[in-house]
Amino acid sequence: MATRHPEMDQVIEKLTKLLGTRCSTAQAVRDQHGKDESWHFPEAPDVVCFARSTEEVSSIVKICAAHKVPVIPFGAGTSLEGHITAIHGGVSVDLNEMNEILRVSPEDLDCTVQPGVRRKQLNEFLRDTGLFFPIDPGADASIGGMASTRASGTNAVKYGTMRENILSLKVVLPDGRIISTGRRAKKSAAGYDLTKLYIGSEGTLGIITEITLKLYGIPEAISAATVSFPDIEGAIKAVILTIQSGIPVARIELLDEVQVDAVNKYSGLDLTVQPTLFLEFHGSNAYVKEQAEQVSDICSEFGAEGFKWTTQVEERSKLWQARHDAAYAAIALRNGAQIWATDVCVPISRLADCILETKKDLKNSFLIAPLVGHVGDGNFHLSFVIKKENPEELAEAERLNGRLIERALAMDGTCTGEHGIGLGKIKYMDREHGEAVSVMAAIKQALDPDNIMNPGKIIPARAAE
């Protein structure tokens, strides 16, 4: 339980005067804002503020800064590493009511949105323009949260991550000042790249209140495919050869046999219970057919069977909904359990080694842990199915997670391809970044000298001192 800040009553009084009923100390509201979808034990903030504009966010932050009270931005609450847990109490700033699509410029292929806009909401709005926003982390996350955690997802192999698809941001700084990090031009050589600094900063350097995004034309044709392999090594080698051959696959997802069994049961699929690839191809009708045939030929070289592809919207939707529900399918494997989700990313040339060694670890463990990955860019996930009140299971998940991360780092990979650092992976920052962590800490100290912005996240305590 976080120690209550000595000036919290004064802060709540000022925030209530500013926001009225949109400032809540109700226990249920606070509890909701102290937990995400991670395994971390929740910690509630002292108060929750529901902001409706950049100016309101600025006013909230100025009040908190004057009293040196922690501020934690809150989006959809779907993060996976304890990003929004209020470990030092403070003020949760809920941005869900800032959900307007402010501008769409079809001729420039860009738009500007508030942080509470959801991914599905944006694409529904864009549909009649013939454009779409491709970043798809699975959950119906908020755009602000996706920017803050540098999200990616199933389409990243073709379209990149949030890092590559944000042109500029509006940010409220820890002292309440409002800045824009860039303009709408497709490129700029003017000064430091503050946009990239704030993408993935997880609310530790300020609160993002507007995001200008790149958009893309909806493909003329989209086809989806599944193909199973007798072993996971063959599936990975097929992925590597597909990428190295320059075939522009839009999505290429790997599910191990444990995850396939889980999605069959949860989503009503009838896939062969073997390592399986889910694929998607974008382009003209002729081009998606050509891509599917090329990938089918590659897969057959590695023993694949039953390559099936379709352009039917209903079949594609069912397939990708099952993929997005993989975490819920994993939870359903065991009554009363939840998942400890983790991810790593390695150079694609080391992907087979990393996954095969990880599977050996899992074979020798008593935990169930389905594996699924955005393997086209070397990123994969484990979902340890645990009962977190059981210390033996928590310890085993931590052991396996540690071995996975050390393995990825030894292969010149990263401790997280897309989940972010939050609370869960702080202890690996020194191992991955070395002296660069002190540079990150210096930036944090310069912008947030009182450490009020989402304290205790990303920067190790040693470096933050």
Side-chain angles (χ1 to χ4, degrees):
M1 179 72 67
T3 302
R4 185 178 172 87
H5 192 283
E7 298 180 27
M8 184 54 65
D9 289 339
Q10 298 175 55
V11 170
I12 292 173
E13 183 180 350
K14 291 179 181 179
L15 292 172
T16 301
K17 185 176 180 180
L18 174 70
L19 300 170
T21 58
R22 289 187 287 119
C23 175
S24 177
T25 57
Q27 190 65 50
V29 175
R30 291 167 52 215
D31 287 345
Q32 177 193 356
H33 287 77
K35 62 181 180 180
D36 54 15
E37 293 191 0
S38 74
W39 64 274
H40 293 279
F41 291 90
E43 291 275 2
D46 295 291
V47 60
V48 178
C49 293
F50 296 87
R52 290 179 176 167
S53 68
T54 296
E55 291 70 28
E56 279 193 348
V57 173
S58 174
S59 296
I60 293 166
V61 170
K62 284 177 179 177
I63 290 170
C64 293
H67 295 271
K68 300 183 180 180
V69 166
V71 181
I72 306 100
F74 185 92
T78 56
S79 54
L80 292 167
E81 289 292 353
H83 296 85
I84 51 86
T85 306
I87 55 175
H88 298 291
V91 178
S92 175
V93 182
D94 187 310
L95 302 165
N96 281 286
E97 293 188 32
M98 294 178 64
N99 60 359
E100 292 185 26
I101 297 166
L102 302 174
R103 178 194 58 81
V104 176
S105 297
E107 63 276 16
D108 293 316
L109 298 176
D110 69 17
C111 69
T112 300
V113 302
Q114 291 185 312
V117 170
R118 300 295 183 95
R119 176 182 63 83
K120 291 181 181 179
Q121 172 195 352
L122 176 58
N123 279 325
E124 284 289 332
F125 186 90
L126 292 171
R127 181 176 297 170
D128 291 342
T129 69
L131 303 174
F132 81 119
F133 181 65
I135 309 305
D136 179 5
D140 190 18
S142 67
I143 300 297
M146 290 168 65
S148 295
T149 56
R150 201 184 301 145
S152 52
T154 56
N155 277 322
V157 64
K158 180 176 178 69
Y159 297 100
T161 71
M162 288 298 284
R163 180 181 63 187
E164 290 80 36
N165 286 283
I166 293 178
L167 293 170
S168 67
L169 299 166
K170 184 171 285 187
V171 180
V172 174
L173 300 182
D175 61 6
R177 285 179 295 159
I178 301 167
I179 65 166
S180 293
T181 63
R183 302 264 180 158
R184 289 175 52 216
K186 296 298 182 185
K187 62 181 182 178
S188 172
Y192 298 139
D193 193 340
L194 296 181
T195 304
K196 295 294 191 295
L197 175 63
Y198 277 95
I199 299 169
S201 62
E202 300 181 12
T204 62
L205 301 177
I207 299 180
I208 295 170
T209 61
E210 285 185 18
I211 308 99
T212 296
L213 302 164
K214 294 181 184 178
L215 302 176
Y216 297 80
I218 296 172
E220 174 189 333
I222 299 174
S223 69
T226 60
V227 58
S228 62
F229 293 78
D231 56 69
I232 204 161
E233 185 174 10
I236 299 165
K237 287 182 176 178
V239 170
I240 292 171
L241 184 54
T242 296
I243 300 302
Q244 291 176 341
S245 299
I247 301 170
V249 182
R251 306 192 206 199
I252 185 164
E253 301 285 298
L254 171 67
L255 288 72
D256 76 352
E257 67 283 357
V258 182
Q259 186 69 74
V260 170
D261 183 50
V263 299
N264 277 349
K265 293 171 179 175
Y266 186 83
S267 299
L269 302 185
D270 59 354
L271 301 169
T272 303
V273 182
Q274 291 181 332
T276 298
L277 296 180
F278 287 11
L279 305 108
E280 189 166 274
F281 310 98
H282 294 180
S284 66
N285 285 297
Y287 194 33
V288 298
K289 182 176 184 295
E290 179 185 349
Q291 291 177 63
E293 290 171 349
Q294 289 175 321
V295 174
S296 177
D297 290 342
I298 288 173
C299 291
S300 66
E301 293 180 31
F302 297 99
E305 296 180 350
F307 187 95
K308 300 176 183 176
W309 69 285
T310 179
T311 57
Q312 296 298 313
V313 174
E314 296 81 5
E315 293 180 37
R316 287 194 293 106
S317 296
K318 183 176 181 180
L319 182 69
W320 291 112
Q321 188 60 53
R323 167 60 188 90
H324 290 327
D325 288 342
Y328 302 112
I331 294 170
L333 289 173
R334 188 178 176 201
N335 289 335
Q338 67 178 99
I339 60 169
W340 174 332
T342 188
D343 82 313
V344 295
C345 188
V346 296
I348 195 167
S349 62
R350 302 305 309 273
L351 182 62
D353 293 336
C354 193
I355 289 182
L356 290 172
E357 289 181 30
T358 300
K359 290 287 287 182
K360 287 179 184 176
D361 268 2
L362 296 176
K363 186 176 180 180
N364 294 323
S365 175
F366 61 86
L367 288 183
I368 302 169
L371 183 151
V372 63
H374 316 308
V375 287
D377 47 20
N379 181 206
F380 69 94
H381 311 255
L382 291 181
S383 296
F384 301 111
V385 185
I386 63 170
K387 295 186 178 180
K388 70 178 185 180
E389 65 274 9
N390 185 320
E392 184 182 4
E393 294 187 14
L394 272 177
E396 177 67 354
E398 185 168 4
R399 183 185 74 84
L400 292 170
N401 187 46
R403 284 179 58 81
L404 170 65
I405 292 168
E406 290 295 337
R407 182 178 301 121
L409 293 176
M411 294 178 177
D412 206 19
T414 175
C415 68
T416 175
E418 60 184 11
H419 290 181
I421 297 299
L423 288 173
K425 292 186 173 175
I426 287 179
K427 64 183 178 181
Y428 301 107
M429 288 290 283
D430 285 325
R431 173 78 171 81
E432 178 163 339
H433 292 289
E435 190 58 36
V437 173
S438 67
V439 178
M440 297 181 199
I443 293 170
K444 169 74 169 171
Q445 174 65 24
L447 292 175
D448 184 19
D450 293 319
N451 192 25
I452 67 167
M453 298 305 304
N454 209 4
K457 316 295 169 58
I458 298 186
I459 305 298
R462 170 202 57 76
E465 292 173 353

